[in-house]
Amino acid sequence: MNENGHNVVDIRSLKKYYPVRGGVFKRHIADLKAVDDIDLSIRKGECLGLVGESGCGKTTLGKTILRLHEATDGRIYFDQPKDKIEEVERLLASQRPEEIARGKTLLGIMDITRVSRKRLLALRKKLQIVFQDPSNSLNPRMLVKNIVAEPLVTQKLVESRELEDKVVSLLNTVGLAREHLMRYPHEFSGGQRQRIAIARALATNPDFVLMDEPTSALDVSVQAQILNLLKKLQSDFSLTYLFVTHHLLVVKYISNRIAVMYLGKIVELSETEELFTNPLHPYTKALLSAIPVPDPDTGIEKIILSGDVPNPIDPPSGCRFHPRCRHAREVCREEVPKLESAGEAHQVSCHLWREL
Amino acid sequence: MEKLIETEDLYTNFFTFEGVVRALNGVSVVVNQGETYGLVGESGCGKSVTVRSMMRIVQEPGKIVGGKILLFLSSEDRQKGIDIIKRSEAFMESIRGDDISMIFQEASTSLNPVLSIRDQVGESFLLHRRGELLEETLKQLADELKSNGFPLAMAWKGFQRWLFRRELESLRRYEKHVKEIDRELYELEEKTDPRSTRRKSSLNARRDRLSEHDFLVSAVKKSPFLERYYKKIHKIVENKIIELLKSLGVPNPANVLKSYPHELSGGMQQRIVIAIALACNPTLLIADEPTSNLDVTIQAQIIELIKMLKENIITSVLFITHDLGLVAEVCERVTVMYAGDTCETTSVKELFKNPLHPYTKGLLSSVPRIEQVEKLHTIPGTVPNLINPPAGCRFHPRCPSAMKICAERKPPMVEYKEGHTVSCHLYPGEEV
């Protein structure tokens, strides 16, 4: 990855809270902080892996980028030059009201969370998603032909005459053929259904595809097929992936960089090799040691975390990982650690990473 | 090594509207005393059906259509084993949850949402260990009756003791009866002449009908005020559950006892399911993908727990999973299954070092590894539909080294070297 390559997606202090309502009048009593103050940039042409346990907010973060969820606060820039983003950030941070106002008007065009519906439709052409379970994400009453053609029709990209050829060529790229056109999703196996979902995502020729656990519902041998296909497509179509998963070995295989999330925060962000050879955050270390290794002779000592992921409605004070961390100290309980740079292309959010 | 449970050429079919699904195609596995045995394979390969057949809980429209399941439990039936397919349902009920118990795949769906944890864990104590519970209660009551107390209370306690004694007597009578029938059945097992066949079926029917029903005890249990006498037993069961939950690392067991499944987290639910399975100290614990819906860190906790239990409490574990990593970590011996066939059986180390069957090789190389850099190997195609499975070796349409004979004849199970059997035409030899 070249450092100067510009970012496809630039996320600045993004927050997504779900209101929790209770009492007789359904008062707003608390917030479920699914994504809490996240800064993240996804470079052009890379595959960024987003790893974490269930309930840590990784899917929410992904879907907020596509504006399938409305963000509570924060900015998501899509495909904007770096200096322009910095300019807007400077305007927003300034003290003078007129500069802030100008920043806000600029945001109206640049920020995914604020653009108008009309612009959003155009943006959606560039942002696509592959969902977790293909048996739920494909409409059982639609033919494969119509499923794959739907984005093309809505975006008015192809004339109806050429539609079928376009769909067939899309199916070919994912390893299906013309004979599959007139079938329904239930006639396919899990792996083939996921291929259809991928073809649908590629239909509008996107720049950025969100992969929301695309292989977790598949068997090992089929998973390998899909992973290889995704890798091939990425280089063929110069795609950028955000690969959300809980499976560390899958993410290791497919990603260039990995972000580890815990309870709505990114705890570590690093290049893949670096993360696996030199994990800094205690949570990442525990996650890595918990992977079952398909080799009976590995003598890796396991770090078993005690307890469960805490409730995100009432997260622990300070570092959110401290109740399960075996190195926790006083400072972890009180101060929230910042994501700080720990060497080249490696960021970690822990008070004690230097000592551990 | 002594065998504990063995299936011989087991065939299980599902009779659906679309046709007969041939889920098991002659499965032979042996679980020995004191080992952790793994069954690996992709979804639909028949690993769950195998263990469900072992427990005889194959769901409708499934049916065991051929083969033997031999159980070697007590020392007296070590020689030839009990063929549990031929035994009565009542016999199976006495074994399930007592000698063999099972952890099901999804904890959240295998727990009953309308019963509290206390009721669900306590059920197996009350079902299988009632005799011991009654004895314990009687001992307690005897102590209480020795001391002086308020006359009415003492009278109530005396009444309880009388009832418990009566219940214990009828239970013992029932157990004696059952034992006699089981012994006779065991002796008749191998005989096939018409006379003993008739005798067998009548004995099996009698065992199903047999009950320990005692009119007086059940009348008291149903009457509105008098049924309170049974609370004593529930109190004892509660203490046992608390002890059990504590040993499984459940924090604050007294509170967990009163809660319902939805109030617990996924890892905690799985612990409860394990507690239900362990309540009666089973000889064999069957774990059917116990961690498939859990996070990695929670999975590590549960695996550690199962390993700990294997060392301290249960003798044998039959571990089913699709994750080769878990197999490497937990099991000692493994069978790889594909579409109802057993491909290969060997020790774990041998399996990873020297896999023989082409499917095993494919499976091992399609798992992403930590040191993975080159392209992932894949097995082309998908698992076949078992209504119309491929003839011969069921793997041959996907096999890179398929030969002509593969499509014609099912390969026999061959001993390649000691402790390593494989079923593939690439390895000729004599059938075991």
Side-chain angles (χ1 to χ4, degrees), chain A residues 218-232:
Chain A
L218 305 176
D219 274 319
V220 191
S221 67
V222 182
Q223 167 177 297
Q225 291 172 9
I226 296 290
L227 287 179
N228 283 340
L229 173 72
L230 289 177
K231 253 195 157 169
K232 183 174 157 286

Side-chain angles (χ1 to χ4, degrees), chain B residues 130-192:
Chain B
R130 204 148 52 91
E132 285 151 44
L133 286 174
L134 285 167
E135 273 167 11
E136 211 169 306
T137 332
L138 280 171
K139 216 181 280 165
Q140 216 179 66
L141 273 171
D143 287 348
E144 281 173 27
L145 278 167
K146 263 181 216 150
S147 60
N148 289 323
F150 190 59
L152 199 61
M154 294 319 264
W156 170 237
K157 274 177 188 152
F159 171 68
Q160 287 180 30
R161 183 168 66 170
W162 176 67
L163 273 172
F164 281 132
R165 267 187 191 158
R166 192 167 168 133
E167 195 176 339
L168 190 62
E169 270 164 33
S170 77
L171 184 72
R172 292 291 181 234
R173 252 199 321 274
Y174 166 78
E175 279 172 355
K176 203 174 130 215
H177 226 100
V178 162
K179 221 175 200 171
E180 278 165 16
I181 296 177
D182 280 347
R183 180 159 315 134
E184 199 176 339
L185 272 173
Y186 184 68
E187 279 155 14
L188 287 171
E189 190 134 86
E190 305 251 289
K191 291 184 184 148
T192 47

Side-chain angles (χ1 to χ4, degrees), chain B residues 366-379:
Chain B
S366 59
V367 188
R369 306 206 171 207
I370 290 202
E371 66 278 7
Q372 184 92 30
V373 269
E374 71 272 33
K375 205 173 158 205
L376 266 185
H377 175 86
T378 60
I379 307 172

Side-chain angles (χ1 to χ4, degrees), chain A residues 53 219 221 225 252 305 308, chain B residues 42-43 265 297 301 370 379:
Chain A
E53 290 178 277
D219 274 319
S221 67
Q225 291 172 9
K252 163 86 175 34
L305 289 180
D308 286 315
Chain B
E42 296 175 278
S43 54
S265 68
T297 55
Q301 289 174 10
I370 290 202
I379 307 172

Side-chain angles (χ1 to χ4, degrees), chain A residues 266-267 335-341 347-351 353:
Chain A
I266 289 181
V267 295
E335 271 178 58
V336 181
K338 288 205 174 59
L339 199 64
E340 53 189 304
S341 173
Q347 286 169 294
V348 62
S349 152
C350 175
H351 291 298
W353 67 267

Side-chain angles (χ1 to χ4, degrees), chain B residues 225-257:
Chain B
F225 174 73
L226 295 177
E227 41 83 29
R228 293 172 61 94
Y229 87 99
Y230 221 68
K231 275 198 169 166
K232 252 211 155 74
I233 280 197
H234 285 293
K235 195 81 209 160
I236 291 175
V237 170
E238 225 167 78
N239 289 336
K240 281 190 189 252
I241 300 171
I242 289 179
E243 233 167 75
L244 180 66
L245 293 183
K246 228 185 242 165
S247 72
L248 295 182
V250 176
N252 205 350
N255 273 356
V256 171
L257 214 62

